[in-house]
Amino acid sequence: MTTSILVGGSSGLGRAVAQRFADRGDNVIITGRSTARAGTVATEIGGTTRGLGVDLSRPETIAAALADVREADNLVISATGQAVNSLADFDIDEAIKAVTIKLVGYTETVRVLRDRFTPGASVVLFGGLAKERPYPGSTMVTAFNGGITGLVKTLAVEIAPHRVNAIHPGVVGDTPKWRDVPDHPHISRTPIGRLVTTAEIVDATDFLLRNTGVNAQDLLVDGGLLVT
């Protein structure tokens, strides 16, 4: 049975990926900062899904938190501490936490699990379109998502022959954050005439995991927004 690990899989897009994998029969492990929350969501997802408490903002605790994970065929890391943090009102503590989660925490998670990768295992890291399209308050979001681009390149060398790629979603229109914003400005500027969907992000994640020729790449799933 395929073992799929979703770090950050207790909410958001990570949870949607976890649901897809559980529905197809994978042995799924999801993580969240709260053990109780991860366990509750694992029960809701169903199948053989189980939840673990892993706090990427405290990377020194990651190894112990993942100690009983025996193997990994798929590793998806979508956890984030993303928040608006403008230069004018710069919150240093929040900035350090966000960068720690996305860059140090992601790296430590891969390091910890590397020896438990099965021969065909691969990794997908979540970034975001803000790396290419900054917005007011995206100072750290843009910076750490740009860092994900560099991280997948060095990890592809470090964990070879295992593959690692990054997915950078645009605004996902059917998520709770955006589904009640029918007139999002990206809609009129996107060639497909709409925002991308959760199902499209999930499908793109699965593609990166299973296509054995794709490695060290950034996949932007934005409906073509960047060409306008």
Side-chain angles (χ1 to χ4, degrees):
M1 181 183 290
T2 299
T3 297
S4 295
I5 302 172
L6 291 301
V7 176
S10 64
S11 63
L13 295 172
R15 176 172 178 165
V17 176
Q19 188 69 63
R20 169 77 68 88
F21 290 175
D23 289 347
R24 74 184 185 191
D26 287 12
N27 177 32
V28 174
I29 299 170
I30 64 167
T31 81
R33 284 188 293 271
S34 162
T35 301
R37 164 74 177 164
T40 297
V41 174
T43 299
E44 294 170 354
I45 290 173
T48 61
T49 306
R50 65 187 178 107
L52 297 175
V54 180
D55 186 353
L56 298 195
S57 71
R58 300 176 60 213
E60 70 279 2
T61 69
I62 293 173
L66 295 173
D68 69 343
V69 176
R70 296 183 179 180
E71 64 178 20
D73 296 293
N74 299 314
L75 173 60
V76 178
I77 312 180
S78 61
T80 184
Q82 182 171 327
V84 173
N85 198 355
S86 68
L87 196 61
D89 299 302
F90 196 55
D91 186 322
I92 293 175
D93 290 339
E94 285 300 314
I96 291 171
K97 180 180 178 180
V99 172
T100 299
I101 289 171
K102 292 289 287 193
L103 299 182
V104 183
Y106 277 34
T107 303
E108 174 65 356
T109 300
V110 175
R111 185 198 71 79
V112 165
L113 292 176
R114 177 188 179 185
D115 291 343
R116 286 165 260 179
F117 286 173
T118 59
S122 63
V123 179
V124 171
L125 308 182
F126 267 63
L129 199 65
K131 84 183 192 75
E132 303 291 343
R133 283 286 179 96
Y135 54 84
S138 77
T139 302
M140 299 315 302
V141 177
T142 295
F144 63 57
N145 283 333
I148 292 293
T149 293
L151 185 57
V152 295
K153 289 177 169 55
T154 187
L155 287 179
V157 175
E158 292 269 9
I159 70 171
H162 299 290
R163 298 179 301 107
V164 55
N165 294 286
I167 184 167
H168 297 275
V171 175
V172 183
D174 59 351
T175 56
K177 182 177 180 180
W178 299 116
R179 63 190 174 206
D180 295 325
V181 186
D183 299 320
H184 193 285
H186 283 189
I187 295 174
S188 62
R189 293 161 46 197
T190 302
I192 62 173
R194 61 173 175 80
L195 303 176
V196 297
T197 67
T198 297
E200 288 166 338
I201 302 303
V202 171
D203 184 67
T205 304
D206 192 27
F207 162 77
L208 291 175
L209 289 168
R210 62 181 166 75
N211 190 299
T212 54
V214 182
N215 193 25
Q217 299 299 312
D218 283 310
L219 179 60
L220 277 63
V221 185
D222 68 344
L225 177 66
L226 287 186
V227 303
T228 63

